[in-house]
Amino acid sequence: MSVRRLDINQPDEFSFSKENERWAADQLKKYPKDKQASAVIPLLWRAQEQADGWLPEPAIRYVADLLAMPQIRVLEIATFYTMFNLSPVGRHFVQLCGTTPCWLRGAEDLKEVCRRVIGEPGQVREDGQFSWIEVECLGACVNAPMVQINADYYEDLTPESLEALLEDLAEGREVATGPQVERTNACPMGGPTTLLNGGAQRQTRSTPTRAPAKAKIKTLRKARKGGPDRLIEISGIGPKIENQLYELGIFHFDQVAAWTKADVAWINEQLRFKGRIEREGWIAQAKVLAKNAGGAS
Ligand code: FES
C-alpha cells in the first residue's frame, strides 16, 4: 500500500455545520455509551463531504474529540482507508479502476485520457473542475472499463466516450450514468442471449416429474387437461421457481391457493427459502388468479 500523507496546506479549523451536528448526534444514539468510537467511519465520511470531498487534519482531530478517541487512532483510520482523501480533490473526482478486468478492457487508455485532460493523478486541474486517481476494483467488472465520478459509476467506456463525458461534466451538461453503450445495466450487449423462447420451460411442463415421496402437500403427477397454469403470474415466482414447483407436482393456482401452514413450511423447505411465500402473499394472489381462471379456490 502506498504511503498516504496529510496535505501540507491545511485549514486552521474545522467543525460540523449545525445540520451535521444534529446528524452526528443521531448517529451516536445508535451505539452503546462505551462504544461511540464505532461511529468513527461515518463521521469522518460526513466530515469529508462537508469539506468538499477531502479530509483536512483539523477535521480528523474534531471527529476524535467528538468521539473521545485519541487523535492518533482517528489519524490511523483516515490514513489507512483510501476512501478518505487526504488532499483536496476536484469538483468532479474521478476514480479510475485499474484492476485486471478493467485493465484488460482498456483502462490504460482511459488513464491516458485522464492524464491529458486532467493532469497527473492526485493533482487538481487548474480550474478546480477535476482530479483523478487510480483505484482497485469498484465491483462493476462486468461493464469494464469504468470510472466512478463523485457518487456515480460510468461504465463500458472508451477513450472517446470518457473524453466526451469529462467535457460534458466540465460544461455542466446533463450526463447519463451507468453503461455508456447501448445496454441495460449488466445485460448482454445487443440484448438477451439465453431463455429467448422459453423452450426449456415448455419441455418441463409437458414432461412433469413425480413429486417427492415424502410430500405432505396435495401434489399432482401431472398437470390437468389444458396444461399447467403460468405460476409466474404470481408475483415473486420467476421461471426458475415455477419449474421447481412443477417438479414438485404443483401445477395450478388452486393448488397454491389451498396451501395450509404446514404446506407452506414444506414448500419453503423444498425451495430453500424462508418466509418468502408469506411475505409475497403467494396464496392470496393464487386465490385471485384461480378465481379468474375459473378454477377452485
Ligand atoms: S475490475 Fe474494474 S470494476 Fe472490477
Side-chain angles (χ1 to χ4, degrees):
M1 186 175 157
S2 60
V3 177
R4 285 166 43 82
R5 297 187 195 288
L6 297 174
D7 199 84
I8 51 169
N9 298 311
Q10 294 287 341
D12 292 336
E13 54 187 31
F14 176 92
S15 59
F16 271 150
S17 63
K18 285 280 167 242
E19 186 195 342
N20 281 345
E21 261 180 25
R22 279 193 295 276
W23 174 87
D26 279 346
Q27 295 302 304
L28 295 181
K29 286 182 200 153
K30 294 179 182 173
Y31 304 96
K33 283 231 170 326
D34 57 341
K35 300 278 188 265
Q36 304 271 292
S38 300
V40 65
I41 298 259
L43 262 60
L44 284 174
W45 185 254
R46 193 69 162 210
Q48 175 163 286
E49 284 178 341
Q50 185 180 312
D52 295 327
W54 74 291
L55 202 52
E57 191 261 352
I60 295 170
R61 280 190 278 114
Y62 176 84
V63 169
D65 293 346
L66 201 63
L67 297 174
M69 290 173 72
Q71 291 177 356
I72 185 64
R73 285 202 56 210
V74 183
L75 182 68
E76 284 166 357
I77 292 164
T79 52
F80 178 79
Y81 290 107
T82 52
M83 62 195 268
F84 297 119
N85 298 313
L86 303 178
S87 295
V89 296
R91 195 154 67 79
H92 305 288
F93 175 48
V94 181
Q95 298 181 70
L96 188 153
C97 173
T99 305
T100 312
C102 281
W103 178 75
L104 286 170
R105 297 273 296 157
E108 287 298 317
D109 296 335
L110 302 187
K111 277 191 218 169
E112 279 316 303
V113 172
C114 287
R115 278 208 173 82
R116 183 160 45 77
V117 175
I118 301 175
E120 286 306 304
Q123 289 179 1
V124 180
R125 198 168 86 171
E126 223 167 45
D127 61 1
Q129 288 267 31
F130 295 104
S131 64
W132 76 280
I133 56 168
E134 180 179 343
V135 295
E136 298 300 330
C137 178
L138 289 169
C141 331
V142 71
N143 290 0
M146 57 81 66
V147 299
Q148 177 178 349
I149 304 181
N150 295 344
D152 293 313
Y153 278 16
Y154 300 87
E155 302 150 5
D156 292 307
L157 290 164
T158 61
E160 294 74 29
S161 62
L162 176 61
E163 189 159 353
L165 173 66
L166 296 176
E167 195 181 312
D168 285 346
L169 289 169
E171 296 297 323
R173 290 193 281 265
E174 204 172 316
V175 294
T177 57
Q180 302 296 302
V181 293
E182 291 296 316
R183 85 151 108 194
T184 308
N185 302 324
C187 280
M189 298 278 283
T193 56
T194 56
L195 301 176
L196 292 175
N197 55 15
Q201 223 168 297
R202 275 202 298 277
Q203 192 184 356
T204 308
R205 285 178 195 178
S206 60
T207 55
T209 52
R210 281 187 302 119
K214 285 190 181 159
K216 304 259 186 292
I217 194 170
K218 191 177 174 227
T219 57
L220 298 171
R221 286 178 65 84
K222 60 179 184 177
R224 296 187 204 115
K225 208 173 156 198
D229 290 333
R230 285 169 45 82
L231 298 180
I232 50 172
E233 284 181 38
I234 295 175
S235 171
I237 296 182
K240 186 174 167 199
I241 296 177
E242 183 186 55
N243 272 334
Q244 286 175 305
L245 290 169
Y246 290 163
E247 298 260 340
L248 292 171
I250 313 288
F251 298 97
H252 300 284
F253 294 133
D254 62 297
Q255 283 180 280
V256 178
W259 283 350
T260 63
K261 264 191 173 173
D263 296 336
V264 169
W266 186 79
I267 291 285
N268 271 331
E269 199 184 316
Q270 301 304 310
L271 301 186
R272 294 176 194 279
F273 52 63
K274 231 181 164 186
R276 196 164 140 187
I277 297 171
E278 299 90 326
R279 233 179 11 255
E280 295 171 345
W282 289 14
I283 295 177
Q285 291 186 62
K287 281 183 181 165
V288 175
L289 288 162
K291 205 166 167 192
N292 291 346
S297 63

